[in-house]
């Protein structure tokens, strides 16, 4: 890699890192995990319907280009304003972003929010084919107080820079009641800087908290002078870049062109605890996030967002975005089933609530050259998020399209039509129950005419069975090119075994299970111990112990 290429990679990787974290890395310092300041969140209105309209009106490639262009045109000045008023963009969540103004009592964040509203008012409406024009606005909320600042996740996959605590719940409450083109501030901002705020009127959140609508400032808040971005080696920055994106960029690929493609969206809500508690330790949370990342990565999906709040936290996972497969819906279902019952040492409070949906969505990076994120936008993202909210702890709710795609491998039950907030029409919903066993070639070994030929293979199998009958243990491998008759030969082996009075248990697996340790033996073990489909946890343990009754040290061998 030439010096110029190295510099380009450093700048690109740096754009995935919040500005205050970037400066700390340049100084060789860590950011404290507790901070006081102001948080701002901004959420674009009308953008998800715009994504849907552009996809309906334009070919996939053109739609992706247009969506990316409009996103960048909106976010570039917003990011610049955040930095000029002393803030850092902590993260993106679809068409929203969260910013942190360290040490601020709310006045700089409010000034930034008002400047953002002015900047978006200058963005020209999007003209759709047919002449219809759509204007995109933004809703903004600002609160001030104490937060936790966590750095979570596996550096080999992706690190997440996050804010946490009740301040984030208050921020979300304010955003929910903010209207387009409005900046709402918490009462603590008004208490500290009320004389500097031109206030239009109050708003009350669903939790009963009062916010104030600010239309201007009565005193000037000057932007800070622009500082040159610090230089940090790419190797130190790579953990903040999604691993698939980082690998492509490091090898000279282009990962910034947006695409419209089929994607499966998975939202996982979990109980992370009370982050404001001074005794709260971030290590269990980090262990849980890494567990989710590893589970998803083994199935070649991506964790793209992490949001923390005392009233609920969630992870946003996608399959088919950076790597596409024909069975992405099944991969998502497999991940969800593994994640709904975490190992005891990783469980955080109640079991997670999970929602899954699928459809064509816009995928890719967006933002500005100095701060960007990787994300997936589209209507089905909202459907998956609403299904997560509707799910009970331990439940996995899926859209009908997902249920149809996985029905051959997963048992589901119909829930019926649900009216989901923000979705125009009711959605047909199913509950994911448990995985079905893969059909084994051995199950039909007696079908069809007798096996003809393969004399040497038959002799080898019969000799192995004879040794088993005499008390030996044997392993027989049957391998060869596709279509040569391996399944037929396997069926014959099972038939020969049963003719000798041997008990036969079978297991099978698909390509998706190639990384699952001992995966093919799961069906065998369940059959031996009488574990029915859907049995798990204490039920499965009890059945194993029942079968091991009388075996010395059964508890010791149970794992």
């Amino acid at each position: 890699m030439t010096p110029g290429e190295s510099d380009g990679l450093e700048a690109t990787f740096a754009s995935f890192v919040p500005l205050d974290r970037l400066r700390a890395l340049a100084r060789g310092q860590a950011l404290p995990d507790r901070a006081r300041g102001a948080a701002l969140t901004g959420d674009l209105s009308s953008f998800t319907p715009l994504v849907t309209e552009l996809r309906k009106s334009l070919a996939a490639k053109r739609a992706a280009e247009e969506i990316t262009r409009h996103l960048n045109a909106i976010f570039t000045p917003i990011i610049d304003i955040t930095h000029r008023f002393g803030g850092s963009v902590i993260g993106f969540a679809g068409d929203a972003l969260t910013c942190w103004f360290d040490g601020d009592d709310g006045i700089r964040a409010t000034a930034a929010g008002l400047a953002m509203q002015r900047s978006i008012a200058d963005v020209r409406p999007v003209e759709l084919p047919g002449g219809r024009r759509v204007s995109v606005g933004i809703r903004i909320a600002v609160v001030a107080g104490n937060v936790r600042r966590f750095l979570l996740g596996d550096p080999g996959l992706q690190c997440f820079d996050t804010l946490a605590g009740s301040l984030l719940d208050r921020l979300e409450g304010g955003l929910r009641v903010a209207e387009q083109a409005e900046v709402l501030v918490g009462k603590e901002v008004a208490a500290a800087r009320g004389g500097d705020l031109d206030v239009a009127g109050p708003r009350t959140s669903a939790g009963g908290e009062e916010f104030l609508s600010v239309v201007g400032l009565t005193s000037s808040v000057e932007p800070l002078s622009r500082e040159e971005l610090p230089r940090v080696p790419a190797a130190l920055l790579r953990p903040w870049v999604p691993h698939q994106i980082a690998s492509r960029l490091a090898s000279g690929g282009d990962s910034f062109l947006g695409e419209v493609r089929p994607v499966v969206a998975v939202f996982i809500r979990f109980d992370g605890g009370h982050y404001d508690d001074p005794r709260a330790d971030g290590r269990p949370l980090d262990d849980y996030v890494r567990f989710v990342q590893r589970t998803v990565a083994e199935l070649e999906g991506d964790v793209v967002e992490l949001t923390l709040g005392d009233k609920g936290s969630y992870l946003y996972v996608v399959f088919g975005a950076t790597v596409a497969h024909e069975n992405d819906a099944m991969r998502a279902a497999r991940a969800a089933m593994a994640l709904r019952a975490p190992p005891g040492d990783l469980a955080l409070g109640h079991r997670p609530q999970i929602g899954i949906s699928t459809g064509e969505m816009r995928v890719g990076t967006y933002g500005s050259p100095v701060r960007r994120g990787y994300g997936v936008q589209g209507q089905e993202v909202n459907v998956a998020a609403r299904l997560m909210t509707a799910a009970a702890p331990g439940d996995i709710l899926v859209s009908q399209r997902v249920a149809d795609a996985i029905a051959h491998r997963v048992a589901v039950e119909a829930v019926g039509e649900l009216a989901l907030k923000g979705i125009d029409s009711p959605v047909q919903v199913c509950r994911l129950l448990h995985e079905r066993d893969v059909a084994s070639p051995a199950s039909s070994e007696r079908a069809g005419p007798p096996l003809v030929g393969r004399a040497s293979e038959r002799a080898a199998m019969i000799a192995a069975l004879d040794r088993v009958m005499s008390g030996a243990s044997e392993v027989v491998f049957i391998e060869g090119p596709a279509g040569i008759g391996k399944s037929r030969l396997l069926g014959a082996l099972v038939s020969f075994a049963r003719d000798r009075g041997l008990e036969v248990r079978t297991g099978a697996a698909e390509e998706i299970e190639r990384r699952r340790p001992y995966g093919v033996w799961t069906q065998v073990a369940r059959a031996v111990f009488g574990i029915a489909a859907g049995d798990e946890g204490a039920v499965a343990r009890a059945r194993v112990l029942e079968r091991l009754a009388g075996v010395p040290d059964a508890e010791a061998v149970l794992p």
Side-chain angles (χ1 to χ4, degrees):
M1 182 177 294
T2 65
E5 290 173 330
S6 176
D7 292 346
L9 192 61
E10 284 180 4
T12 300
F13 281 8
S15 68
F16 287 89
V17 184
L19 182 57
D20 56 356
R21 180 76 65 178
L22 187 66
R23 288 172 173 156
L25 287 169
R27 297 191 300 265
Q29 298 174 345
L31 291 177
D33 77 340
R34 300 175 192 275
R36 185 171 182 83
L40 176 153
T41 187
D43 186 22
L44 300 184
S45 52
S46 304
F47 200 84
T48 296
L50 177 61
V51 170
T52 304
E53 288 284 341
L54 287 171
R55 181 59 191 100
K56 288 179 180 177
S57 306
L58 303 173
K61 185 175 186 300
R62 174 76 190 285
E65 292 170 351
E66 286 297 299
I67 294 166
T68 302
R69 183 169 68 85
H70 292 304
L71 271 173
N72 292 345
I74 293 167
F75 276 121
T76 294
I78 286 175
I79 293 165
D80 181 59
I81 289 167
T82 302
H83 290 172
R84 285 171 53 216
F85 281 91
S88 298
V89 177
I90 302 301
F92 299 85
D95 50 13
L97 81 171
T98 299
C99 310
W100 177 247
F101 296 77
D102 196 56
D104 182 28
D105 59 7
I107 192 65
R108 283 190 284 122
T110 303
L114 292 168
M116 291 175 189
Q117 292 290 11
R118 293 191 294 271
S119 77
I120 205 166
D122 294 334
V123 176
R124 297 176 59 183
V126 180
E127 187 165 331
L128 298 170
R132 191 164 73 89
R133 295 159 68 87
V134 176
S135 295
V136 177
I138 189 169
R139 301 175 296 129
I140 293 175
V142 175
V143 294
N146 297 317
V147 295
R148 298 293 299 274
R149 183 75 178 266
F150 289 123
L151 186 59
L152 305 170
D154 184 341
L157 294 172
Q158 185 183 0
C159 286
F160 292 96
D161 224 314
T162 60
L163 303 177
S166 59
L167 193 74
L168 276 297
D169 295 316
R170 294 182 52 231
L171 191 64
E172 177 65 19
L175 187 65
R176 288 181 183 275
V177 294
E179 297 177 357
Q180 182 168 315
E182 189 170 47
V183 177
L184 291 189
V185 303
K187 57 186 178 182
E188 74 286 349
V189 178
R193 303 299 292 258
D196 299 314
L197 306 179
D198 185 359
V199 176
R203 298 277 188 279
T204 303
S205 71
E209 182 175 353
E210 187 176 278
F211 289 81
L212 296 173
S213 177
V214 177
V215 296
L217 299 177
T218 59
S219 60
S220 177
V221 178
E222 295 298 325
L224 305 177
S225 59
R226 295 180 185 273
E227 293 184 23
E228 188 172 330
L229 291 176
R231 294 283 304 274
V232 180
L236 291 180
L237 302 170
R238 182 165 181 155
W240 277 263
V241 187
H243 71 290
Q244 295 283 5
I245 304 300
S247 297
R248 287 187 209 166
L249 291 169
S251 61
D254 185 356
S255 295
F256 297 111
L257 289 178
E259 298 177 87
V260 172
R261 59 162 65 182
V263 178
V264 184
V266 183
F267 276 82
I268 306 159
R269 186 172 184 172
F270 62 94
D271 180 8
H274 298 288
Y275 304 110
D276 291 333
D277 187 335
R279 298 166 298 176
D281 183 358
R283 283 175 294 182
L285 179 60
D286 187 40
D287 290 342
Y288 177 76
V289 171
R290 292 180 185 227
F291 159 66
V292 174
Q293 286 181 296
R294 289 192 297 269
T295 302
V296 170
E298 285 175 0
L299 293 160
E300 298 189 330
D302 300 279
V303 179
V304 293
E305 289 175 20
L306 168 63
T307 299
L308 301 177
D310 277 2
K311 294 182 180 178
S313 305
Y314 72 82
L315 286 151
Y316 174 25
V317 172
V318 292
F319 289 84
T322 58
V323 181
H325 310 84
E326 290 184 357
N327 57 0
D328 277 318
M330 186 60 222
R331 291 169 184 267
R334 170 70 58 70
M337 288 185 288
L339 296 173
R340 71 175 166 189
D345 59 334
L346 294 174
L348 298 175
H350 63 68
R351 297 177 73 182
Q353 304 157 246
I354 302 177
I356 309 177
S357 192
T358 185
E360 282 201 339
M361 307 183 210
R362 182 268 174 193
V363 305
T365 55
Y366 61 100
S368 80
V370 297
R371 185 70 176 97
R372 56 168 60 93
Y374 179 85
V376 179
Q377 293 91 17
Q379 179 77 342
E380 298 304 320
V381 177
N382 294 343
V383 172
R386 299 304 183 194
L387 290 176
M388 170 192 72
T389 303
D395 263 2
I396 303 170
L397 296 185
V398 304
S399 63
Q400 188 64 53
R401 193 179 293 142
V402 173
D404 292 342
I406 64 177
H408 68 295
R409 284 298 312 275
V410 179
V412 300
E413 67 176 9
V415 172
E417 285 190 343
L418 293 184
L420 304 177
K421 184 179 178 182
I423 309 301
D424 293 337
S425 303
V427 176
Q428 195 70 37
V429 177
C430 295
R431 178 177 290 106
L432 191 155
L433 299 178
H434 55 78
E435 194 166 354
R436 305 180 194 274
D437 287 342
V438 182
S440 167
S443 62
S444 57
E445 77 281 352
R446 295 187 183 277
L451 182 66
V452 177
R454 303 291 186 191
S456 61
E457 290 86 352
R458 292 171 65 185
M461 292 191 302
I462 290 170
L465 290 172
D466 288 342
R467 289 192 291 273
V468 170
M469 295 292 292
S470 66
S473 297
E474 289 286 322
V475 176
V476 175
F477 287 97
I478 301 174
E479 57 183 354
I484 202 171
K486 297 186 296 298
S487 297
R488 186 73 183 88
L489 201 58
L490 175 60
L493 174 59
V494 171
S495 181
F496 296 156
R498 285 179 173 157
D499 288 344
R500 285 161 171 73
L502 292 172
E503 181 181 354
V504 177
R505 302 293 186 183
T506 64
E510 294 180 339
E511 179 271 341
I512 190 176
E513 295 164 297
R514 70 187 187 278
R515 295 188 183 183
R516 182 191 255 186
Y518 305 104
V520 74
W521 291 98
T522 301
Q523 295 170 46
V524 176
R526 294 178 76 90
V528 167
F529 292 109
I531 302 172
D535 287 348
E536 55 183 54
V539 175
R541 180 185 177 90
R543 296 197 187 282
V544 174
L545 283 172
E546 182 181 352
R547 183 64 185 263
L548 293 178
V551 175
D553 299 321
E555 284 278 0
V557 301
L558 187 61

